[in-house]
Amino acid sequence: MFAELNELLNASPERPEQGKLTLLRDTKTDGSFLVHHFLSFYLKAGCKVCFVALLQSFSHYNIIAQKLKLHKLNVCLWIPSLLGLLPRGFQQFSQGVSLTAAKERGQLVFLEGLKSCFDVFFGEEQHVGQTNPLQFVSKDGSNLKTMYEFVRTSLMASGSDSWKCPVLLVDDLSVLLSLGVRPVDVLDFIHYCRVAVCSQLKGNIVVLVHSNDDSEDEENELVVNSLCHQSNLILWAEGLATGFCKDVHGQLKIIQKGSSELKAEKNLLRIYQYKIQDKNVTFFARGMSAAVL
Amino acid sequence: PPPPPPYFIEQAARGSPTSQHGAAQGRASRSVCGTVAVRCEVIGRRRRRGAGEEGVGCWASWWLGQRGGLVLIEDTIECEGRSLLKTFVAASAHRGESVHVFGFEIPEEEFRAGFDPDVTVRLLYQDGFTDPLRWTGEAGGFCGEEFTALGVSGQLARGPAGPATVVLDSLSWLLLRQPLPAVCQALGRIPMAAASAGLRVTRILALLHGDLHPPGLVETLRSLARAVVGVGPAPEGVGSGGDTPRLASMLQRKETGKVLEKEEYFTILAGFTPKALGEPTGSVPRDEDTDPHSMADPAANLTFNLRLSDTERRARDGVPLPFHFSAQKKSSLLEASASAGKIYYEPDAADDLDEEDPDDDLDV
């Protein structure tokens, strides 16, 4: 997770919010750094995470998660942490997250889309009662009910669990549209996940979609616009309009939707620019890149 | 007048002003393309404004006092319209009507939040959020397929008798999953079906997300609706600091056929009471109207003079064009002399012809 992004969002792993739908959106650039941020954020917060990873393999996410460390520790805190004088939580804070370890202790349920798709077509015969969540690829073509049931069973609290609120992370929904799922079925899947995760289990959902302002893909735009209406927080990573730049990789729009529960509230829009480094992402106000100052 | 929409619905509602219980009946309508026939019957009656109306605020009640039909609230990603929908729900409840909400997009407790207790008492929520497609098999919910005139009036019949308002949150959810003609027919038949069950539907309030549908569909629904309110963000500087100012573009179709359009800034306070913030002034200049005259005078603000006086202008107009054959030119061409070419020079008023040779004083 990126400490600067936590500060911008006023979020902290100690007190994660509940019942929220966060939409990650990218245009002309790759917004998957936000997925890595939220994955390690919620794992560090002690939440049970169900990760539907349709785009990359497990090892990809694992390698990146291990890289994300708070490597910029203050010197005055570094030596005491070496000597073990700081509380244990802080030491864990400063390390990366291992997805393998999280999977073993049951905190992370990982659906590897690339492997499961393969199993649907070429795998051995499934046992009775065990349906592959990606069954829709071969059979119905569009019904995501089995995937919803997979999400629901993996996030249901079992007796021995001591995790905090459950979290569903999807990377990404545009792949489902490419696999032939109709946009209304994708929206139905997200609807039922909201019912189960946000409203019944008081958890969070984070979803990544790709979008393009002048795209001709109406189905994708329908999904994106519909999710914009439903989400509480939108993080929109855009490539710079002027093209590639070595020092500024893109611009991030943070839109906090005003809730309409008690009275009408305004949407808060903030825009920052960012630069992705090897182990960290730095955020700064527009035009204030370190290379310029 | 706007061109007729693809699904042409004709409704004529005439209520006699003298009768207390005047029922307005609509003629059966036919469609231009012949595939959809929608019959809209508007059943309403004139009633005096009751004492509870003042609390609502005259902004909302001037056009909530209209007769029934479909009221459409259209919002976009930039500006949500659900708070305005809840304002109308509160207004209907304050008028003593029972409000049947068919909710598909948000859970019941989120919809009920923020209302006064006397409003929530009159609110009957049909839960279309928890299990609209029967995936989990939970009982007691409202399924998306049940949205027909009969299904809706069946739900209405379970409520108290008397005037009822039907609220759809949202209509976009239904339009994405059911074909447009079916939804339009259901909307048109709900008041009739409810009347046959002994209920009176005063109006149908529907929330529509304008950017999720193709423009033709939105136009069709706008032509079906009795009133359309488009919600958008208001520019900075409107209203006081704590409010969230919004711009409402209202279009109301009266029974006489007259169409009223109005734009107004508003905000919504706690308890879902609306507050009008004035109308947008029309004097905001648009980009095309920036003064064209200042652009077309490049001769202004120069250090040299590019302008012509009147005499100069006349002299310029009097110059013969190069291809114009004057008598002198004709004769010179016809002569085809072998001598050196002649130069014909016609001086104008500003020329200073001096016959003297300026090189005379050279001592060469």
Side-chain angles (χ1 to χ4, degrees):
Chain A
M1 74 178 183
F2 311 123
E4 292 185 31
L5 186 54
N6 279 344
E7 279 170 27
L8 291 181
L9 296 175
N10 198 20
S12 149
E14 271 91 45
R15 33 172 187 87
E17 287 192 326
Q18 293 201 321
K20 301 288 177 199
L21 169 63
T22 303
L23 179 68
L24 308 175
R25 191 175 166 178
D26 61 17
T27 304
K28 292 188 195 154
T29 187
D30 187 14
S32 49
F33 69 96
L34 295 168
V35 174
H36 298 301
H37 163 83
F38 279 105
L39 178 61
S40 50
F41 175 85
Y42 282 118
L43 283 176
K44 283 210 182 119
C47 299
K48 182 158 187 190
V49 178
C50 173
F51 190 4
V52 176
L54 301 170
L55 203 58
Q56 304 278 7
S57 63
F58 176 76
S59 51
H60 172 94
Y61 295 105
N62 199 11
I63 292 171
I64 296 183
Q66 280 174 340
K67 273 197 201 178
L68 297 183
K69 304 180 190 186
L70 284 176
H71 65 287
K72 278 202 251 181
L73 286 176
N74 279 333
V75 172
C76 57
L77 294 173
W78 200 58
I79 297 177
S81 75
L82 276 184
L83 296 175
L85 292 176
L86 285 178
R88 193 160 178 273
F90 191 87
Q91 283 185 326
Q92 265 185 345
F93 216 64
S94 66
Q95 294 161 3
V97 177
S98 163
L99 297 190
T100 336
K103 224 163 82 158
E104 274 162 21
R105 59 178 183 252
Q107 193 188 4
L108 172 67
V109 177
F110 195 93
L111 171 62
E112 192 168 349
L114 297 171
K115 246 204 302 187
S116 301
C117 260
F118 190 79
D119 286 338
V120 166
F121 289 114
F122 304 110
E124 297 154 0
E125 285 300 316
Q126 297 284 329
H127 299 288
V128 173
Q130 256 190 16
T131 28
N132 193 317
L134 294 175
Q135 200 64 40
F136 65 89
V137 175
S138 76
K139 288 236 178 107
D140 299 296
S142 204
N143 195 343
L144 296 177
K145 187 172 167 190
T146 38
M147 198 149 89
Y148 155 71
E149 271 159 15
F150 167 80
V151 168
R152 195 172 60 140
T153 41
S154 39
L155 287 179
M156 283 296 227
S158 63
S160 58
D161 277 346
S162 62
W163 310 115
K164 288 192 207 164
C165 55
V167 174
L168 167 66
L169 196 50
V170 182
D171 178 21
D172 62 54
L173 278 187
S174 306
V175 169
L176 288 176
L177 290 173
S178 311
L179 284 175
V181 182
R182 286 191 307 259
V184 178
D185 293 313
V186 173
L187 293 175
D188 286 338
F189 167 69
I190 293 291
H191 180 108
Y192 270 89
C193 287
R194 270 176 64 216
V195 172
V197 178
C198 289
S199 122
Q200 286 171 354
L201 298 173
K202 301 283 179 274
N204 297 319
I205 300 185
V206 181
V207 174
L208 175 68
V209 282
H210 299 298
S211 82
N212 215 353
D213 274 341
D214 53 352
S215 98
E216 295 167 354
D217 190 351
E218 289 166 358
E219 300 186 340
N220 196 18
E221 292 312 303
L222 170 64
V223 171
V224 172
N225 287 334
S226 193
L227 287 175
C228 280
H229 276 286
Q230 297 171 21
S231 49
N232 303 104
L233 174 67
I234 302 175
L235 295 177
W236 191 350
E238 291 174 296
L240 293 177
T242 42
F244 173 74
C245 171
K246 196 170 53 132
D247 298 302
V248 178
H249 290 150
Q251 154 176 301
L252 183 71
K253 271 190 198 168
I254 303 176
I255 304 171
Q256 187 86 38
K257 298 282 279 299
S259 89
S260 62
E261 279 200 33
L262 298 176
K263 60 176 183 129
E265 285 172 21
K266 220 189 326 194
N267 294 353
L268 289 171
L269 168 67
R270 291 175 293 163
I271 304 184
Y272 297 96
Q273 288 177 339
Y274 61 86
K275 178 179 177 179
I276 302 180
Q277 293 153 341
D278 186 39
K279 295 184 182 180
N280 198 9
V281 175
T282 47
F283 294 86
F284 37 87
R286 279 183 292 180
M288 310 282 270
S289 156
V292 168
L293 293 174
Chain B
Y7 303 93
F8 181 86
I9 291 108
E10 212 177 49
Q11 59 176 348
R14 284 183 209 103
S16 79
T18 52
S19 72
Q20 283 272 312
H21 299 267
Q25 282 188 324
R27 277 179 280 144
S29 68
R30 52 176 165 68
S31 71
V32 170
C33 51
T35 52
V36 169
V38 180
R39 213 164 124 202
C40 284
E41 288 200 354
V42 174
I43 300 173
R45 72 176 176 168
R46 297 223 171 162
R47 66 189 269 272
R48 295 263 187 88
R49 299 233 174 121
E53 303 269 339
E54 284 84 17
V56 173
C58 31
W59 177 82
S61 53
W62 74 263
W63 69 289
L64 270 185
Q66 46 160 336
R67 285 172 191 244
L70 176 64
V71 175
L72 212 58
I73 297 173
E74 210 180 298
D75 70 353
T76 56
I77 298 176
E78 279 98 41
C79 190
E80 53 90 26
R82 188 165 284 120
S83 44
L84 186 61
L85 181 76
K86 285 170 125 179
T87 309
F88 289 139
V89 166
S92 285
H94 284 307
R95 289 161 75 97
E97 298 169 358
S98 53
V99 182
H100 296 259
V101 181
F102 293 83
F104 298 99
E105 289 197 346
I106 53 172
E108 181 175 350
E109 51 276 4
E110 203 179 313
F111 192 87
R112 282 181 185 269
F115 282 128
D116 294 334
D118 47 351
V119 172
T120 34
V121 158
R122 296 196 182 273
L123 205 63
L124 292 114
Y125 195 87
Q126 310 296 337
D127 187 11
F129 174 75
T130 312
D131 192 12
L133 303 172
R134 301 260 178 265
W135 279 6
T136 53
E138 291 192 23
F142 185 78
C143 180
E145 294 164 339
E146 288 178 39
F147 185 78
T148 55
L150 289 174
V152 169
S153 59
Q155 297 289 337
L156 295 181
R158 293 188 204 165
T165 299
V166 175
V167 175
L168 297 174
D169 176 19
S170 67
L171 188 57
S172 290
W173 194 96
L174 290 163
L175 285 169
L176 288 175
R177 289 156 181 87
Q178 288 187 11
L180 175 67
V183 174
C184 290
Q185 285 185 25
L187 286 174
R189 285 185 187 150
I190 283 172
M192 192 174 65
S196 59
L199 293 164
R200 188 167 63 87
V201 172
T202 48
R203 65 187 63 84
I204 305 176
L205 288 170
L207 178 66
L208 183 73
H209 301 302
D211 41 15
L212 294 183
H213 305 287
L217 193 147
V218 177
E219 285 301 321
T220 306
L221 285 170
R222 280 204 198 127
S223 63
L224 259 187
R226 177 73 72 167
V228 179
V229 186
V231 185
E236 295 291 321
V238 175
S240 54
D243 303 331
T244 312
R246 298 219 170 121
L247 176 65
S249 318
M250 299 178 272
L251 188 122
Q252 187 186 5
R253 222 171 253 122
K254 292 200 177 281
E255 296 93 20
T256 52
K258 189 176 170 190
V259 174
L260 292 175
E261 285 192 48
K262 191 175 176 203
E263 281 196 355
E264 196 170 27
Y265 294 126
F266 72 100
T267 184
I268 297 175
L269 308 170
F272 293 102
T273 44
K275 181 176 151 197
L277 293 174
E279 297 192 11
T281 50
S283 63
V284 176
R286 291 168 307 162
D287 286 340
E288 304 97 275
D289 281 346
T290 49
D291 195 2
H293 300 294
S294 62
M295 302 274 292
D297 193 10
N301 301 326
L302 291 172
T303 52
F304 45 90
N305 183 22
L306 275 184
R307 291 203 174 91
L308 294 172
S309 70
D310 279 341
T311 42
E312 287 168 338
R313 203 181 292 272
R314 268 175 286 161
R316 186 186 73 172
D317 289 340
V319 169
L321 295 170
F323 46 85
H324 246 100
F325 278 127
S326 65
Q328 267 185 324
K329 262 200 196 168
K330 265 192 206 169
S331 55
S332 74
L333 285 172
L334 288 172
E335 277 173 13
S337 58
S339 63
K342 285 190 188 168
I343 298 172
Y344 297 97
Y345 178 70
E346 288 169 24
D348 64 357
D351 264 343
D352 180 23
L353 272 185
D354 189 2
E355 296 298 334
E356 282 181 17
D357 188 358
D359 295 332
D360 260 350
D361 51 357
L362 282 181
D363 197 16
V364 175

